[in-house]
Amino acid sequence: MKIETRCVQSGYTPKNGEPRVLPITQSTTFVYDTPEQMGDLFDLKAEGFFYTRLGNPTVDALEKKLAAIDGGIGTICTASGMAAVTNLVMTLCKAGDNIISSSTIYGGTYNLFSTTFPKFGIETRFIDVNAKNEDYQKLIDEKTKFIFCETIANPAMTVPDFERIAKVAHENGIPLVCDNTLATGIIFDAFKHGVDFNVYSTTKYVDGHATSVGGAIVDSGNFNFLGNKRFPDFNEPDPSYHGLVYAKDFGKMGFLIKSRCQIMRDTGAQLSAFNAFCTVLGLETLHLRMPQHSKNALAVAELLKESDAVEWVKYAGLKTDANYELAQKYFNNGMASGMVTFGIKGGREAASKFQKALKLFKIVTHIADSRSCVLHPASTTHRQLSDSDLIACGISDNLIRLSCGTEATEDIVEDIKNALIASQK
Ligand SMILES: *Cc1c(COP(=O)(O)O)cnc(C)c1O
């Protein structure tokens, strides 16, 4: 089936007489007739739900839908995007291991990698995502467990050369992990271009309506852990699960079983059934929303490019953009998603006037929902930093981040046009 049909239909198929719409299973627990049946579930000999931390029918439907959209073998949903990244690291790494990560990634992930995981003995080696193969090779050693990048970096807007990076990863026997939050499966078919695992903040376009914080890891099934010496925890018995050997006992499902039955079991951070329900509703229109987000962002980027009130614009869909070629190579139908960043002439003062003059675009700490929104990082998310610290992390004091919604293009362009004029008065 085509991706549009998978967005609408996959994940939940009611049987005779069952509800047409996915039910919200608001129950922590599930009933069985015999202790032997329950025992088989604990032994992973039978499939079924027994406790919502480890699985819930509503969450399961969302997991199946996300896997179907991306063309993966399965998904684990989590309480947030940060919980998804955390689960991924804990499934693949232990103290003494390291990760190679693009340096231009979401601020929360950057902090997790640069500050929190080092406290648990997991080091991250940051790299310019489009650095040469030999620069990657220099950072990889026998303790390296994966390479991490973002499809469209937030807010740096860089696009990786996925196939080249995947080749370096695979030659070293490690997977390539991509945070596909800003593109989604509609814009970027990650598994066709060498990515092994997608992670998502489903909080953003996947939900698309700003109702539910959530996250997910989707497994392509292409990375082989069996016999891979870098991953002893997949090839040796897990004493906390009476001796299971994930890669041997579960084949391709080994990663997802370890992620759920060990890491989710021990750390929690599961998605609630209600949030899964809202996210499924949102996903049913993902294929309709992403083209409109992309169309609106391109119109805004083109307007900004021509404006005297603007110093620079970053948007991978603009022909003049540094990432245009890569976006054309990897993204479907020329789409480049809904986020645009630009530098306004006149620094902080102009940035403030610009935001106050906007009518449709609201000031919120969010991106990627159907309503247009704006953020000035230097006075909000990054306000604790000095001007020199800001420059060091690639955020100038005049940087404005726009998230273009799904409203009419004309209305969005008009709003930006008026606010640009007001910013220079
Ligand atoms: C928001 C975001 C995250 C974190 O997700 P939460 O759901 O807020 O925990 C991770 N990666 C990217 C690219 C994001 O935009």
Side-chain angles (χ1 to χ4, degrees):
M1 281 191 295
K2 296 269 188 285
I3 195 160
E4 295 86 347
T5 312
R6 282 180 265 143
C7 278
V8 178
Q9 293 269 358
S10 59
Y12 171 66
T13 312
K15 296 188 197 75
N16 194 35
E18 288 182 352
R20 181 66 192 99
V21 174
L22 173 69
I24 303 171
T25 306
Q26 192 67 22
S27 180
T28 59
T29 190
F30 303 83
V31 178
Y32 290 91
D33 291 337
T34 68
E36 288 76 21
Q37 284 175 324
M38 186 80 100
D40 283 349
L41 293 173
F42 272 93
D43 282 352
L44 306 177
K45 281 185 194 144
E47 276 189 33
F49 302 101
F50 51 99
Y51 190 56
T52 280
R53 171 155 32 84
L54 291 166
N56 169 286
T58 315
V59 178
D60 181 65
L62 172 60
E63 288 171 340
K64 291 200 164 92
K65 199 188 260 306
L66 282 167
I69 292 170
D70 281 2
I73 57 166
T75 304
I76 181 155
C77 280
T78 56
S80 68
M82 293 316 303
V85 179
T86 303
N87 183 303
L88 177 107
V89 172
M90 294 181 83
T91 304
L92 294 177
C93 303
K94 59 174 177 251
D97 290 342
N98 67 72
I99 302 161
I100 314 289
S101 172
S102 163
S103 53
T104 51
I105 52 173
Y106 175 73
T109 313
Y110 189 88
N111 289 336
L112 179 68
F113 285 179
S114 67
T115 308
T116 302
F117 272 125
K119 293 180 182 170
F120 297 90
I122 298 165
E123 176 206 353
T124 296
R125 302 168 179 182
F126 290 101
I127 188 168
D128 170 352
V129 75
N130 284 326
K132 295 197 199 82
N133 289 8
E134 50 264 41
D135 295 330
Y136 272 95
Q137 200 57 56
K138 270 183 222 147
L139 296 181
I140 298 172
D141 63 21
E142 73 282 0
K143 292 288 188 185
T144 303
K145 292 299 150 85
F146 64 93
I147 298 178
F148 186 88
C149 64
E150 280 179 15
T151 320
I152 303 169
N154 174 8
M157 308 295 282
T158 40
V159 177
D161 191 352
F162 297 97
E163 288 173 6
R164 183 167 68 76
I165 302 166
K167 195 155 172 278
V168 178
H170 297 156
E171 280 167 3
N172 285 282
I174 55 176
L176 175 62
V177 179
C178 176
D179 181 334
N180 201 28
T181 297
L182 290 190
T184 76
I186 300 297
I187 293 183
F188 179 49
D189 214 341
F191 300 157
K192 288 223 173 89
H193 298 289
V195 172
D196 299 290
F197 297 92
N198 278 335
V199 300
Y200 288 100
S201 167
T202 60
T203 317
K204 314 292 168 50
Y205 288 116
V206 169
D207 164 8
H209 299 77
T211 69
S212 306
V213 174
I217 309 170
V218 186
D219 185 350
S220 69
N222 295 333
F223 189 78
N224 183 21
F225 290 95
L226 187 63
N228 186 331
K229 293 201 171 54
R230 267 180 202 274
F231 294 96
D233 287 0
F234 284 78
N235 288 291
E236 291 164 10
D238 177 357
S240 83
Y241 222 118
H242 39 71
L244 287 182
V245 181
Y246 295 105
K248 191 166 132 277
D249 296 346
F250 301 102
K252 279 190 178 307
M253 294 310 285
F255 172 89
L256 286 167
I257 299 270
K258 186 176 193 297
S259 157
R260 185 183 305 276
C261 298
Q262 184 191 23
I263 305 303
M264 184 63 88
R265 177 197 67 186
D266 294 357
T267 64
Q270 89 289 352
L271 188 69
S272 76
F274 184 70
N275 278 10
F277 174 82
C278 292
T279 307
V280 163
L281 269 191
L283 262 183
E284 288 177 8
T285 56
L286 185 69
H287 60 296
L288 301 174
R289 291 184 281 112
M290 295 317 290
Q292 183 71 5
H293 284 295
S294 301
K295 178 183 170 212
N296 286 344
L298 180 60
V300 166
E302 281 170 345
L303 168 76
L304 294 169
K305 181 92 194 136
E306 298 306 318
S307 168
D308 292 337
V310 172
E311 285 182 0
W312 54 266
V313 188
K314 283 187 189 169
Y315 184 66
L318 269 185
K319 280 207 174 68
T320 50
D321 194 83
N323 293 287
Y324 181 75
E325 298 294 322
L326 286 168
Q328 290 299 305
K329 178 174 176 190
Y330 289 115
F331 296 168
N332 297 331
N333 304 326
M335 289 184 282
S337 200
M339 199 172 76
V340 181
T341 61
F342 73 100
I344 197 156
K345 217 167 264 173
R348 286 168 188 269
E349 203 190 321
S352 172
K353 285 184 190 163
F354 173 79
Q355 293 173 87
K356 285 178 194 154
L358 288 165
K359 291 198 164 67
L360 268 183
F361 284 77
K362 298 294 182 207
I363 303 169
V364 299
T365 309
H366 199 246
I367 48 165
D369 69 81
S370 50
R371 302 159 204 93
S372 291
C373 62
V374 62
L375 192 77
H376 178 233
S379 61
T380 55
T381 48
H382 293 67
R383 79 177 280 125
Q384 278 83 16
L385 304 188
S386 66
D387 282 358
S388 61
D389 286 346
L390 280 176
I391 291 163
C393 65
I395 292 172
S396 51
D397 70 349
N398 68 348
L399 184 150
I400 291 179
R401 188 180 73 185
L402 297 172
S403 171
C404 300
T406 54
E407 304 91 340
T409 313
E410 295 80 350
D411 293 336
I412 285 185
V413 166
E414 188 67 16
D415 199 29
I416 299 289
K417 214 183 259 174
N418 291 337
L420 285 172
I421 294 168
S423 75
Q424 304 299 308
K425 282 198 177 136

